[in-house]
Amino acid sequence: MYQQANLLGQESSPYLRQHAHNPVHWRPWGTLALQEARETGKPILLSVGYAACHWCHVMAHECFEDQQVADLMNAHYVNIKVDREERPDIDQIYMAALGAMGEQGGWPLTMFLTQDAKPFWGGTYFPKNSRYGRPGFMDVLQSIDRVWREDHARVVQNVDALTDHVSARLDAKATAVPLDKQLFDQFAANIAGMIDMKKGGLSGAPKFPNAPFMDTLWLSWLRNGNTQHRDAFLKSLRTMLQGGIYDHLGGGLSRYSVDDDWLVPHFEKMLYDNAQFIRHATYAYAETKDELFRIRIEETVDWLRREMLANGARFASSLDADSEGEEGRFYVWSASEISDAAEFQAFRTTYDVTSEGNWEGKTILNRLKSPDAFNTDTEADLLKVRQILFAQREKRIHPNRDDKSLTDWNGLMIRALTEASRVFQRSDWLELAISSYRSISESMIDGRLPHSVLGQSRLFPGLSSDYAAMINAAVSLYEATQEKTFLSDASHWLEALDRWHLTADGNYALSASDSTDVIIRVRGDQDEAIPSATGQILESIIRLATTTADYALQQRVEQLAENAIGRVLEQRYGQAGVLNSASLLLEPMKLVLVTPDREHPLIRAADSRSDPRRTDIWIRFEENTKIELVPGAGELIIKKPAAYLCRGFVCLAPVETAEALAELLKPKPSEH
């Protein structure tokens, strides 16, 4: 007899634990829950969400905390709760199934499955009773149960066809397509054509940072000198960092803006959004020297240290949008809460504080109407007021934090902090990155990375994105420190990635081969808010091959990229990450710095110009040392300190001064 109880209390996900006291008899996803469905003959009710999801909280309050709803769920279904951040492989399968049914996706995801975990009907948010033009969950539960019992043949009739359709989409097979610069350039032109050049971001609302698209624009600028694409990138980044989507008191970027002005955020703060914005702001500062980018990075790293260290080292996943049951309550202000004394007047004007407010009678602090920097004295006065208001805000009830540490998201942040530490000469940021890196590395068991860690709990097996993100983090740490242990780690993780995720056709699956609870091993080609697993894998292997001068590995990743591009051209949506990474193979860049020490001006010149296409290698200068810059090119005898920039298998003439190197590394605008 199966337990008539909620079984989420000991799970590694704070989101699942939030539901541990629901009257619903929730089970975590896994073989035991699937076995229960098979043995009881009940269909599965699958609910997928995440801790910072506003509508997930709404549906939980309206439905899952309600005894009447719970009684129906418990009587007729095996109820399974999934944290999409812990199990993106599960989420992708059933989100694709919902799309195949012609429904708009989103979270919470509510799916009904057969005992074999095959989907047959679904939706997203349902209120308890019909409203907002949506069917009530009580009615849905009763209708699905009735059809399951009385017309079972109709339920299962199309299940296999639907599953095959989803499999064809997520485990796509396609003919390899050779690398073609024109393909990447056309894709960048398509993205640029969708940018709102007055406000930044994609035209219309809602506005997301859309990091993969931002990467596309920046890579196009670096590759072709396309200033329109550079300006679209910079406009988007500047506007979001002055908008309400940015927390002007505490630092950190929110998930997205619900309007087309970047004013009203969906107030949740995600680790991955902030990792990617730190990278982008690092590029932007290196290009423009605009202090806005430096300040926003500094403020956000302070926020990471203050609020996002889950165990003193690893980074937590997110902060909720809600506090005290209300979205944004922690962040917004009434006019009466901000003094109208003389010393506050400049602040009120600069940050859009008015008696009527700018959102539902409240004020979301922003600088959209005053984006340009004032003089130093004015900015110092504004900082004093921000500090006063921050201290005042700290007394409020804070949003909840999702304390689980996801390996791939931590990998993204480690890389971002490492790159920023080089540009801004911040050894403390590098130490923060290394601390997280060591904590993640120490969480391995039998040489394998977990996907998630919470306290002493680890979720195995990891995903392909975990290994890719940590390889990228390790290569970046190697560039910053030149400690070869980081390259050893990267090589070890590539071996694990190959062992557990490489499929028979020579490509990679998101789930490990010993994941026994998925009906499809998805490829992981689809971008979400971060580049896809496939995109991250390609980039990580390209960078490792370039850094280690492993020509065989480079040939292998070229085949992987051509396979992935073939799939992209079949599906044609949501795969900027694959294209961005594959474009790096057009001309892999390596900068070899031969100097007597790491304090040499050539090193500083290289550090100050961050370029996602380039890997940097340091060799200690000793006169008459012989080095080989690229495989098979022959040895050079080093006579004096110099920097050698190699593009593919062609190395340019060495440069000996920081000024010459800075000029060499600077993108060259072209006419468009």
Side-chain angles (χ1 to χ4, degrees), residues 251-418:
L253 198 67
S254 291
R255 179 73 200 87
Y256 64 89
S257 168
V258 301
D259 62 307
D260 71 346
D261 290 317
W262 300 106
L263 173 63
V264 182
H266 185 38
F267 290 89
E268 62 192 4
K269 288 184 185 176
M270 314 301 294
L271 184 68
Y272 56 74
D273 285 319
N274 286 283
Q276 292 175 115
F277 121 63
I278 287 172
R279 290 193 74 206
H280 291 162
T282 300
Y283 304 158
Y285 180 83
E287 175 64 26
T288 66
K289 297 300 185 284
D290 185 337
E291 285 291 287
L292 169 69
F293 301 120
R294 177 188 62 79
I295 291 166
R296 293 291 181 263
I297 295 172
E298 288 179 348
E299 292 169 345
T300 299
V301 177
D302 287 346
W303 164 70
L304 288 169
R305 280 205 191 95
R306 186 179 66 245
E307 298 187 37
M308 294 299 285
L309 289 175
N311 69 333
R314 293 187 302 271
F315 295 105
S317 294
S318 63
L319 297 180
D320 274 8
D322 300 9
S323 58
E324 301 180 72
E326 193 176 311
E327 185 177 7
R329 184 182 180 101
F330 179 75
Y331 297 101
V332 300
W333 297 81
S334 63
S336 61
E337 292 176 299
I338 299 176
S339 171
D340 58 3
E343 60 268 30
F344 283 77
Q345 287 306 314
F347 179 90
R348 292 173 69 94
T349 300
T350 304
Y351 288 91
D352 193 24
V353 180
T354 60
S355 57
E356 63 274 13
N358 53 28
W359 178 65
E360 297 182 354
K362 302 281 188 178
T363 291
I364 298 169
L365 299 177
N366 72 91
R367 292 185 66 156
L368 290 166
K369 296 175 182 175
S370 307
D372 298 325
F374 289 82
N375 61 54
T376 303
D377 290 342
T378 304
E379 289 297 332
D381 291 341
L382 292 172
L383 175 60
K384 290 176 186 175
V385 176
R386 289 202 306 273
Q387 290 170 337
I388 292 168
L389 294 179
F390 175 79
Q392 193 174 323
R393 194 179 77 174
E394 281 294 280
K395 298 172 184 176
R396 299 175 180 176
I397 295 174
H398 283 241
N400 288 332
R401 186 177 76 179
D402 185 337
D403 281 346
K404 69 177 182 291
S405 294
L406 296 172
T407 297
D408 48 3
W409 296 7
N410 271 260
L412 292 173
M413 184 56 81
I414 293 163
R415 181 181 182 183
L417 290 171
T418 302

Side-chain angles (χ1 to χ4, degrees), residues 3-22:
Q3 278 185 280
Q4 298 301 304
N6 184 313
L7 304 181
L8 300 183
Q10 300 304 311
E11 286 302 298
S12 61
S13 160
Y15 172 68
L16 296 188
R17 291 186 186 184
Q18 286 175 6
H19 292 269
H21 301 293
N22 293 166

Side-chain angles (χ1 to χ4, degrees), residues 21 24 58 257 270 303 332 339 426 505 528 635 639:
H21 301 293
V24 178
V58 173
S257 168
M270 314 301 294
W303 164 70
V332 300
S339 171
R426 291 293 297 260
D505 61 0
E528 293 184 323
E635 292 183 327
K639 294 295 187 182

Side-chain angles (χ1 to χ4, degrees), residues 546-576:
T546 303
T547 306
T548 58
D550 187 333
Y551 183 57
L553 186 58
Q554 182 167 325
Q555 287 182 304
R556 183 156 81 87
V557 75
E558 285 174 3
Q559 185 60 59
L560 284 168
E562 290 177 355
N563 293 347
I565 290 172
R567 299 194 301 272
V568 166
L569 294 180
E570 288 278 333
Q571 299 179 52
R572 292 192 172 274
Y573 181 75
Q575 283 124 349

